[in-house]
Amino acid sequence: MEKRNVIECNFVFSLWKQPILFLDYGQLQDEYFLTEEGKFYYNIGREMFKSKFIKFDDLAISTFLVGKDEIKAKFEDYGGFSTVKEIVTMVEPDNIEGYFDNMIKGKIIKDLIKVGIDVDLDKHDSMSTDELYENYDKILNTIFIES
């Protein structure tokens, strides 16, 4: 969870920087996000894109938030447009596949721990989701073959 804020931030604000990417990543459910901020910004971005906004500037965000007082208040509590603008300048949408892979890997690891599987976080931190799958597939195959 230490890195989770950064991982979700990189992913979500890549979408905000290049909203057309919501065509590929706009179907995620809240369960993919482990932070409230990640869910919050993702859902705003997704809804803005569904509302035909293709550039998320201050005016577009302000327009979208009209009549959504609770969401607008939370947006302002998180720092408002200046925070968004600052983060968006730092992320690189060309890296979104890597950001997404890290997000999914974190969810998988959380789910493995949730069902009682002991996970070596140091070992799995450098693995991709494919490598993580192959690792556990190999472990299960070995167990079943040796039984």
Side-chain angles (χ1 to χ4, degrees), residues 3 101-102 105 109 120-129 131-132:
K3 298 178 189 178
D101 189 72
N102 278 317
K105 180 175 64 173
I109 289 172
D120 181 349
L121 296 177
D122 292 330
K123 177 181 175 184
H124 295 96
D125 192 43
S126 63
M127 291 182 175
S128 69
T129 54
E131 291 169 330
L132 185 65

Side-chain angles (χ1 to χ4, degrees), residues 128-141:
S128 69
T129 54
D130 290 338
E131 291 169 330
L132 185 65
Y133 173 80
E134 289 170 10
N135 180 62
Y136 281 98
D137 187 49
K138 180 180 172 184
I139 291 169
L140 286 172
N141 285 335

Side-chain angles (χ1 to χ4, degrees), residues 1 4 8 30-36 39 102-121 124 132 136:
M1 282 301 288
R4 192 60 184 199
E8 289 185 14
D30 281 352
E31 66 206 32
Y32 284 90
F33 298 91
L34 305 182
T35 69
E36 288 304 313
K39 286 179 208 173
N102 278 317
M103 240 181 68
I104 297 305
K105 180 175 64 173
K107 182 188 178 314
I108 291 168
I109 289 172
K110 179 183 174 232
D111 291 346
L112 289 170
I113 292 169
K114 189 176 177 180
V115 297
I117 296 175
D118 189 26
V119 177
D120 181 349
L121 296 177
H124 295 96
L132 185 65
Y136 281 98

Side-chain angles (χ1 to χ4, degrees), residues 19-32:
I20 196 76
L21 291 169
F22 275 103
L23 291 173
D24 295 325
Y25 298 99
Q27 305 303 319
L28 302 180
Q29 303 300 312
D30 281 352
E31 66 206 32
Y32 284 90

